[in-house]
Amino acid sequence: SNQTVETLIFLLYACGLRLSEALNLKVKDVNFQDLTLSLWKTKFHKERLIPFSPAVSEKLKQYLTLRVKRFRLPSTEAPFFCHARGKYSRGVIQKRFRQIMTGLGLAKTKPRPRLHDLRHAFAVHRLYKWYQEGCDIQNKLPYLSTYMGHVSLDNTQVYLTITTALLREADRRFQASFEDLAKTP
C-alpha cells in the first residue's frame, strides 16, 4: 500500500536503516515504550538496538493502526511491514520507489536516486548536525559506525561525502576558531 511505502521510506531515512533491516522487522522488534528498534541478524551478522525519535514513533504507530484495521491484530512474530499475503520483498518496494521517482520526474536524473541513498543522507545529515553542535567529529564517528552496523570506520566514511552545507559549517567553525590569528596588527 502507499502507506506502507511512505512509512518505510520515512523509517529508512529517519533511522539510517538498510531496506533489508526494515523489511525484516517483526512487530515485537518495535518498542514504543523505549523508542527502540531491535535489529537481528543484519549484514555482517550483527545485532543492534536503534533508538528512534517521537516523530518516528508516531509514524510507526499510524502505520500499525492502519495495519491492524486491514489485517487484524498481528502476532508479535509477524512482519511489521506486510501485505495480505505476508512480508514485502525488496523487489516490490524498490519497484514502488522507482514509480515514485518517475512520478516526481527524478527517474532519469544521473545518478538515479536509490533507496540506499536515504541511508547515505541519514549519515551526512547526522554529521552535519554534529558539526552544528560543535562536536568533535572524529570522536563521534565510532558511534555513527556502531549505530549503522558497520564493521569498521572505513565502511562509515564511504557515506560521508562533503556537501555544500557541510562545507559552509566547517568554514564557519574554522573562521570562528582562527579569527584572531587572521587579523593583522
Side-chain angles (χ1 to χ4, degrees), residues 44-67:
F44 308 115
H45 310 288
K46 291 191 164 231
E47 279 117 22
R48 60 193 202 279
L49 197 61
I50 300 294
F52 58 84
S53 70
V56 171
S57 177
E58 189 57 37
K59 190 75 163 168
L60 293 176
K61 283 179 183 177
Q62 288 171 2
Y63 173 77
L64 194 56
T65 299
L66 180 68
R67 186 186 184 293

Side-chain angles (χ1 to χ4, degrees), residues 102-113:
T102 299
L104 294 171
L106 298 173
K108 295 183 180 183
T109 60
K110 298 290 181 195
R112 186 174 299 151

Side-chain angles (χ1 to χ4, degrees), residues 19-90:
L19 178 57
S20 60
E21 292 169 342
L23 291 176
N24 287 330
L25 281 174
K26 294 180 180 172
V27 172
K28 71 177 182 178
D29 297 332
V30 181
N31 185 325
F32 291 106
Q33 184 175 341
D34 295 337
L35 299 180
T36 57
L37 302 173
S38 296
L39 303 180
W40 307 101
K41 298 177 187 165
T42 65
K43 190 173 180 181
F44 308 115
H45 310 288
K46 291 191 164 231
E47 279 117 22
R48 60 193 202 279
L49 197 61
I50 300 294
F52 58 84
S53 70
V56 171
S57 177
E58 189 57 37
K59 190 75 163 168
L60 293 176
K61 283 179 183 177
Q62 288 171 2
Y63 173 77
L64 194 56
T65 299
L66 180 68
R67 186 186 184 293
V68 167
K69 284 180 186 175
R70 282 193 161 150
F71 308 119
R72 70 182 156 54
L73 188 63
S75 82
T76 59
E77 292 295 323
F80 190 85
F81 295 103
C82 74
H83 51 79
R85 291 173 300 217
K87 180 177 149 182
Y88 278 95
S89 70
R90 292 178 61 91

